[in-house]
Amino acid sequence: MRCWPHTWPGCSRTSPPESVHALDLSALTRPEITVWSAWQGDDLVGVGALKELDPTRGELKTMRVDDRFLGTGAGRAMLRHIMAEARARGIRSLWLETGSEPVFAPARGLYASEGFVECAPFEGYGPDPLSTFMTREL
């Protein structure tokens, strides 16, 4: 959830490698992961992905809006779309990992404003001072 797809190899610019949990392109093709993109004309506005952890739990992955579209509501629209799709699939809770550094404060604020609350690490994540874990019931 930390890096724009075309910059994944450079994720360590903001976080050390052990704290980077972004999926690479090959991981996004797994059958349990669905990826959405938002476009304005020919411009890619943002991307988001849902990983099905099990039939009732999903993880929000790779949520990112291009800097040119920050503050336009594109991120909230993508998040709401993913939540609606998760509900339609019978998923009852969503989970996510995002950064705890100041640069990720807007993301944490968006998630909190949509009902996500901080939680302990989940599904294979370990404690990491550079990660914030959040969840919400759908």
Side-chain angles (χ1 to χ4, degrees):
M1 299 192 20
R2 297 184 177 203
C3 300
W4 194 238
H6 63 269
T7 61
W8 280 331
C11 281
S12 61
R13 289 180 297 155
T14 59
S15 301
E18 66 274 10
S19 293
V20 174
H21 304 289
L23 298 176
D24 64 18
L25 292 176
S26 65
L28 291 172
T29 64
R30 292 183 190 153
E32 70 272 16
I33 297 176
T34 304
V35 180
W36 291 272
S37 58
W39 296 81
Q40 185 174 46
D42 292 334
D43 293 324
L44 178 61
V45 174
V47 296
L50 173 66
K51 177 180 180 182
E52 293 186 31
L53 300 174
D54 62 42
T56 64
R57 296 181 312 130
E59 181 180 0
L60 183 67
K61 298 293 290 185
T62 316
M63 181 81 175
R64 180 72 166 94
V65 172
D66 186 278
D67 290 346
R68 298 171 297 160
F69 297 97
L70 292 175
T72 66
R76 186 173 305 278
M78 179 65 74
L79 178 59
R80 287 180 176 174
H81 176 79
I82 293 171
M83 290 191 303
E85 288 290 324
R87 275 188 205 98
R89 294 178 186 192
I91 292 173
R92 294 193 298 260
S93 63
L94 279 180
W95 303 76
L96 65 88
E97 178 276 336
T98 191
S100 60
E101 302 102 315
V103 70
F104 297 107
R108 292 189 307 271
L110 169 63
Y111 300 134
S113 74
E114 291 291 331
F116 285 83
V117 295
E118 289 191 28
C119 64
F122 63 94
E123 203 65 30
Y125 289 102
D128 183 342
L130 298 180
S131 289
T132 297
F133 302 96
M134 302 179 85
T135 189
R136 76 156 280 174
E137 297 296 318
L138 294 179

